Amino acid sequence: MGTAHAPSFVTADDPWVGLNGGLEAQLAGLHREIRAKPELATIDRIAVAVHDSASGRLRTFVESNIGSRPFDRFSDRLELHPTLAAVATTGIPFINNAIGGDPAGGDGLNDRLRSLGLRSRYIVRIHRSGTLYGFIFFNSGRPGFFTEATVAALTPYRRLIDVLVVGTLTSQRTMLAAVRSALQVSHYRNEETGAHLDRMSRYAELIAQTLAARYLLSDEFVEYVLQYAPLHDIGKVAVPDHILLKRGKLLPEEYEVMKTHVAKGVEIIDAMIHDHGLEALPYRDLLRNVVAHHHECYDGSGYPHGLAGEAISLEGRIVAVADVFDALTSQRPYKEAWSNDTAAAFLRAQAGRRFDPACVEALLADPEAIRDIQQRFRETPGGFGLAALRHRAAQAAAC
Ligand code: C2E
Ligand code: SIN
Ligand code: SIN
Ligand code: FE
Ligand code: FE
């Protein structure tokens, strides 16, 4: 293991890495620097997992490996991992220098790490003023690797990774907070509920995750698809009420006004990025593309630009499928909800026309996952309108 392997970092050929100086590229660069130091040359893997306080879940956010990507995207409840939970509460790093040597000390990941030839692990928390952001994992193929001396040599790099991760998450959260307040306004007017945004963003995540293996997408890409998908219709705030809230079919000229929500959305995103000084927002292009491309069609018949095939960003193709599937299976002021089967048949019929067939198949491959999302994100009590808005505001305040 280690120096015997040709380093194969996540490279710039990966189209999703390095966008807007993404954290994955920064981590790969730091990993390269770390391995250039003789005493740290056998650090074979560095990973960061982030903690979502709303769901209690921990998931891999970025990683840098020597060799191919060995880990499936890790997503699990923190409480199921006592070792990590202890690091989170006490702040005391965890070191295991004999992975697999002590079955009782395992947390379920030991076997996987060992099968990859990794023998030592060092885990530290990322933490600010009482809030857990996540963990940094360092792994080495050498048993007994993490000593006082190697940990000390690693410390400046560990601090840098910590700061980069917190900075990335903070600018992402600032952006999302700004956007959420805009969404509150749009929800007030638009009868689409927060539950629609939750479901469609989970469908988008499901598609991205299913496609990740085929297209070698990074965990970061999947994460940002989930984070930014709810913003696809932000431009609807600029559509007049008599059109947006119309109970019934739109007239052709009204539909033309409706379609301007895409260009308006891109303007709003650009203005928010500018006003909040978020030019360095991670995956900024992904956010823009989600808004700009969500009504483009695979065969070029969509709007506003009539882009076709790969000219439409992958995130745009993903969100288009997720958005329409949820629109079809939901009630709208102008239509009844369709069954999952009817909506699936529609997506299949439109695969290769309106939709990217790979995205359609990725969503429909797992009907159980779809039902699970529908169970988890039901409409809020009180249906549409003010009561639902208050309920959502109360939920938001509790987060
Ligand atoms: P939305 O309700 O979020 O719908 C998103 C997309 O899902 C629609 O994009 C369309 O592609 C698809 N979709 C939704 N409902 C149906 C349906 O019953 N049949 C079919 N075949 N596809 C459906 P689209 O058409 O560009 O519409 C964009 C937005 O314009 C919609 O967002 C909705 O807010 C509004 N809209 C569209 N048609 C009407 C309408 O007839 N009446 C009203 N009041 N609003 C409409
Ligand atoms: C992870 O990489 O997501 C966890 C595995 C580890 O402990 O290194
Ligand atoms: C469409 O299918 O393109 C329009 C959606 C609707 O009016 O129901
Ligand atoms: Fe839209
Ligand atoms: Fe939508």
Side-chain angles (χ1 to χ4, degrees), residues 16 30 63 72 128 132 138 148 173 178 196 207 214 251 263-264 303 327 354:
W16 305 113
L30 275 173
E63 60 178 328
D72 295 334
R128 290 291 184 285
L132 177 72
F138 296 95
E148 213 170 305
R173 281 167 193 177
H196 159 64
I207 297 169
R214 184 187 303 185
L251 300 171
K264 287 287 178 199
Y303 64 90
R354 193 190 285 221

Side-chain angles (χ1 to χ4, degrees), residues 92-281:
I92 301 168
F94 174 80
I95 289 176
N96 178 350
N97 275 324
I99 291 176
D102 170 18
D107 62 2
L109 295 168
N110 270 350
D111 290 348
R112 282 161 80 200
L113 292 170
R114 188 172 172 88
S115 72
L116 299 168
L118 297 168
R119 293 294 177 271
S120 299
R121 56 201 295 230
Y122 169 47
I123 306 174
V124 289
R125 74 174 181 185
I126 307 173
H127 183 265
R128 290 291 184 285
S129 40
T131 302
L132 177 72
Y133 283 74
F135 300 91
I136 311 174
F137 304 95
F138 296 95
N139 302 127
S140 170
R142 288 239 317 261
F145 181 78
F146 293 104
T147 61
E148 213 170 305
T150 53
V151 165
L154 200 50
T155 295
Y157 298 102
R158 169 174 67 68
R159 293 219 174 100
L160 198 49
I161 295 168
D162 177 280
V163 167
L164 289 172
V165 171
V166 171
T168 300
L169 291 173
T170 305
S171 65
Q172 183 190 321
R173 281 167 193 177
T174 305
M175 180 71 187
L176 288 172
V179 156
R180 271 200 198 107
S181 50
L183 280 175
Q184 290 293 335
V185 177
S186 77
H187 274 146
Y188 211 163
R189 307 179 46 235
N190 186 346
E191 307 209 5
E192 278 175 37
T193 63
H196 159 64
L197 299 176
D198 285 332
R199 285 189 305 263
M200 66 77 60
S201 58
R202 296 293 164 174
Y203 296 144
E205 179 192 33
L206 179 62
I207 297 169
Q209 206 166 332
T210 307
L211 294 179
R214 184 187 303 185
Y215 296 131
L216 297 175
L217 305 175
S218 68
D219 295 333
E220 225 183 0
F221 174 82
V222 179
E223 177 72 21
Y224 284 110
V225 166
L226 169 67
Q227 296 293 336
Y228 293 153
L231 310 180
H232 68 282
D233 269 340
I234 187 89
K236 282 185 179 173
V237 295
V239 175
D241 280 354
H242 71 275
I243 296 177
L244 188 66
L245 304 181
K246 181 171 178 177
R247 306 201 156 260
K249 197 113 187 91
L250 297 179
L251 300 171
E253 60 271 28
E254 292 170 332
Y255 190 49
E256 289 309 309
V257 175
M258 191 71 210
K259 287 178 178 175
T260 64
H261 80 278
V262 173
K264 287 287 178 199
V266 174
E267 276 174 40
I268 289 168
I269 292 294
D270 284 347
M272 276 190 202
I273 288 171
H274 182 261
D275 295 351
H276 293 275
L278 295 170
E279 275 77 9
L281 183 79

Side-chain angles (χ1 to χ4, degrees), residues 319-338:
V319 167
V321 170
D323 181 35
V324 173
F325 184 78
D326 195 65
L328 295 177
T329 52
S330 306
Q331 196 191 338
R332 287 282 198 273
Y334 61 94
K335 61 173 278 293
E336 286 306 315
W338 299 12

